[in-house]
Amino acid sequence: MTTIRDVAKLAGVSTTTVSHVLNKTRFVSAESKTKVEAAVIELNYVPNTVARSLKGGSSRVLGMLVTDSNNPFYANLIQWVDQVAYRHGYNLILCNTQGDIQRAKDYMSMLSQRRVDGMIMMSSDVRQLPVSSYGTIPMVMLDSGPERAGYDRILDDSELGGYMATNHLLKSGHRSIGLLAGPLEKSNSQNRIAGYRRAMAEANVEVDEGWIQSGEFSYEGGVVAMTLLLNQQRAVTSVFASNDLMAMGAMRVAGEHGLIIPQDLSMVGYDDIPGAQYFNPPLTTMRQPLEMMAEQAIAMLLTRMQSPDREGQRTLLGPSLITRGSVAVRP
């Protein structure tokens, strides 16, 4: 393995000079800098970031824990976080837990050993991890995690989103509105249910409890929940799905039952994943501000890294309604 001494020998300079060139910590003459850069390229030298972090206290690396990077919503958010982190001079290590608690623990241990400077956690597993798993790594929780001192949280205002989605259907003339909720143990599912109930109550519309069905935040979850909904005695004229993947699964089930969207059944989703505008018809949905979420996550994490003992901060980001062709106005 090539070492910094090999680079210094080939360049004809000291190891200290090589270090200053690589870390940009002191002025080095143009001639010496050129020799060092040429030697680095010739020897294909890669600095040992872990060793540098042990010496200098910073690895310039952040970790990010997600449940499923294949979900278009997560994939889109990861891209934004990566862009913002890179702009601030940090690399990102992505860890996909795939819903496995032991895997999440192992990743936490690995990232701690790699001495990452900070961690962004967007994982439904995080609530089940023991507090001891978090160690002393500065962290920001995205829509998950324990509400305890020393951890910053950025949340989607899911209650407001559920209210706005349901209210849009009410204003479009619908009164029989079904809700495809996510897993009931998840806080964002419960918050969207609360928003749905608040909008219905304000409109003096009685909710048939059979109109609320739950499933996983996935295509399959939408199929399961929509099948249960269509088997209820009191039919609905519209559906609010708690994420766009569920909406896609629900639209397939509706088609299999001979229902045409939006003529027979209106549909509103949540997240505005990149493919939502290409659904047939294009999906009306609630958009989460992913760019703002990424910007604030990195900003909060950098602040936490500088002030590890400050009080935990909580930021609530509101969604916005994106209207397309999946909702019909009823007289």
Side-chain angles (χ1 to χ4, degrees), residues 141-161:
M141 311 285 186
L142 293 181
D143 208 24
S144 60
E147 295 191 33
R148 59 188 296 269
Y151 294 104
D152 300 312
R153 309 178 75 218
I154 299 178
L155 307 176
D156 162 57
D157 194 342
S158 292
E159 197 276 341
L160 175 61

Side-chain angles (χ1 to χ4, degrees), residues 278-289:
Y278 301 111
F279 286 13
N280 185 21
L283 183 65
T284 293
T285 185
M286 301 303 303
R287 175 182 292 169
Q288 295 196 51

Side-chain angles (χ1 to χ4, degrees), residues 2-19 32 35-36 38-40 42-43 45:
T2 303
T3 68
I4 192 171
R5 290 185 177 86
D6 298 323
V7 175
K9 183 178 180 180
L10 181 60
V13 298
S14 68
T15 55
T16 302
T17 298
V18 175
S19 177
S32 295
K35 288 180 179 179
V36 170
V40 166
E42 182 175 337
L43 296 174
Y45 173 67

